[in-house]
Each structure stands twice: as structure tokens, then as C-alpha cells.
Amino acid sequence: MDDQASRERRLEQALEVCRPDGLPADDAASAFLAAEMAARPGVAERYRRLQGLDARIAAAMREVPVPGDLAGRLMARLAAERPAREVSRRWLLAGSGLLAAAAGLLVAVWLGLRGGQPLSQQYVLDEAIRSFENSPPELQHWLSDSPPGGFPFSGMLLPGRQVRWQAIADFVGRHGVAYDLSGTEAGRATLFVVAGTVEGLGPAPALQPFTTAGCCASAWQENGLVYVLVVEGDPTAYQSHLRLPTGPIA
């Protein structure tokens, strides 16, 4: 179990730091990632989705005006906050060193500017799965009391014996609530709820979900809120969370 956990941590690090323009054989992290992609098809899909996210973030950064004194401000901030933290691969898109931190700031600005703008369905699904995969159960802090009234649980889903929740501060640039739907006999499942709209998104979860990397996901919108369900497992596990109609079909 410890070996598997260590391998997964190493894989997460490799996915984060490897450059999106190739996997050079002389780089240890890239060589490890290439081996994992060859042995596990789901890893290749995760890497593909991360590259897609990188491209969208890079395109957004090119559209954000950069203050003239940004470099000096970043240098002063970094000098005050040593030791430096590990830089994510998405910041490496803007270069190395201090430019990586600058890219991180630009992404944060971009997400803030997007606050009231429509989102795309695929972007929401990708972000939900990424958040789900990068949030191991041991790091979760679920609450059992009543969640905030502005982000109710969806009537489209079966709540199970106990519904737990936690606040989320930056999911697709918005705050909201994540609900834990994991049961004692089922795999992990999380429902993300944030305010906003998604062009072309329907009013109910799909019967056949988007499936990748061992997860199923579906997004819909109700009353000005975007709901995204992510379930660990196959479509059967996903459908077990849906409030499906019963009785004869007319």
C-alpha cells in the first residue's frame, strides 16, 4: 500500500512538472511518466487533458494586460516568502524562475475576470475531474451540518444515508459547495455546485456520462447554478447516484 501511494505521488509530480512539448528521455520525471503512460492508458488520458488545460490557460494569459511593474513586485514578494515552493507545470508555460510565478498571478487574474462569463461544458468537466483526482480522501474536511442555503443539493441525485459538504473557494473561478456522495459500499463521488451558466448545458445529468481516467462525470444547471457530478468507477457506478424514473414508460 505504501509503495502504491508513493508511486501515485511520484506520478502526480511528473504530471505537474513535465513540459507539454514532449517527453525527453534524459529527464527522469519524463521517463517515469512515459513508462506509466505506456503501462496505464488512463495516465495518457490524464496527461492529454492537462495539456488541453495548459493550452487554454496560455491562451487566456496572452489576453490579460500585464502591469509594467509586475516583475519588480513579484521579485519583492518572492524574496519575502522563501523558501520557494515547487512550481506547477502550468506556470512553466510562461518560462522559468520568476516568470513562473508571474504566470500563476496572471491565471488568478484571468479566473477572476471570468467570474460572470459563461463557461464551456468540457472545461467544467475537465476541472471537476482534475479537482476530484487531486483531492485524496485523507485531505478532505467534510462537514455534517446544514450547508449554505445558496448552493442546495440537487434533487436529480440520490443523497444517500448522509450528505456531507465543504466549501470550495476556487472551482472554475467561482466559490460554492462540494458534496460528498461516497457510500460505504460505493466508490468516491463528489457533487460540485457553483453559481454561473454554461452554454448549451442541459437541466439534468446525462444518463451516459463523460468517462476518462477511471472516472465518470456529468454537468447540468438548475436555477442559476452549475452542478457537476464526478464518480470514481464505471457508468453503472455513476448511474447509481441518479434519481432515475421508476415504473412503466408510457
Side-chain angles (χ1 to χ4, degrees):
M1 185 65 180
D2 290 341
D3 290 343
Q4 180 63 26
S6 176
R7 179 183 177 188
E8 288 301 319
R9 283 195 298 270
R10 186 179 177 190
L11 175 60
E12 286 296 332
Q13 292 173 354
L15 286 168
E16 287 296 314
V17 303
C18 289
R19 296 194 301 274
D21 56 352
L23 297 173
D26 59 346
D27 183 285
S30 295
F32 173 77
L33 178 56
E36 290 293 295
M37 290 170 61
R40 302 162 61 185
V43 174
E45 175 62 21
R46 287 170 63 183
Y47 185 68
R48 183 196 65 77
R49 288 191 292 102
L50 282 173
Q51 285 187 304
L53 178 59
D54 288 344
R56 290 194 294 273
I57 291 176
M61 287 192 294
R62 288 192 291 269
E63 298 175 1
V64 177
V66 180
D69 62 344
L70 178 60
R73 288 158 53 191
L74 287 170
M75 290 177 67
R77 182 63 179 269
L78 288 175
E81 294 194 0
R82 294 183 178 179
R85 298 175 182 175
E86 181 179 356
V87 178
S88 168
R89 68 194 290 270
R90 275 168 287 288
W91 309 154
L92 295 177
L93 287 172
S96 60
L98 293 177
L99 289 180
L105 177 59
L106 290 177
V107 171
V109 171
W110 171 64
L111 289 175
L113 292 175
R114 285 181 59 96
Q117 298 179 2
L119 303 168
S120 73
Q121 179 177 356
Q122 192 59 54
Y123 174 72
V124 168
L125 291 172
D126 286 345
E127 283 297 284
I129 294 174
R130 184 188 65 80
S131 179
F132 182 81
E133 290 179 336
N134 293 338
S135 302
E138 61 270 17
L139 298 182
Q140 300 301 295
H141 303 285
W142 300 109
L143 303 174
S144 299
D145 56 351
S146 298
F151 303 95
F153 190 83
S154 174
M156 302 287 180
L157 305 179
L158 299 172
R161 290 190 293 270
Q162 180 184 25
V163 175
R164 302 184 300 169
W165 68 278
Q166 62 181 334
I168 48 178
D170 187 12
F171 175 71
V172 296
R174 292 160 167 79
H175 69 278
V177 168
Y179 291 93
D180 175 37
L181 282 67
S182 305
T184 56
E185 298 180 357
R188 290 177 59 213
T190 300
L191 174 67
F192 300 90
V193 187
V194 295
T197 59
V198 175
E199 294 184 19
L201 204 59
L207 183 60
Q208 295 299 326
F210 172 69
T211 303
T212 182
C215 293
C216 294
S218 179
W220 67 100
Q221 48 197 7
E222 306 176 41
N223 303 318
L225 297 173
V226 175
Y227 289 81
V228 191
L229 174 63
V230 182
V231 178
E232 183 179 61
D234 59 18
T236 299
Y238 161 84
Q239 292 169 5
S240 69
H241 293 279
L242 305 184
R243 193 184 295 274
L244 299 173
T246 59
I249 301 177

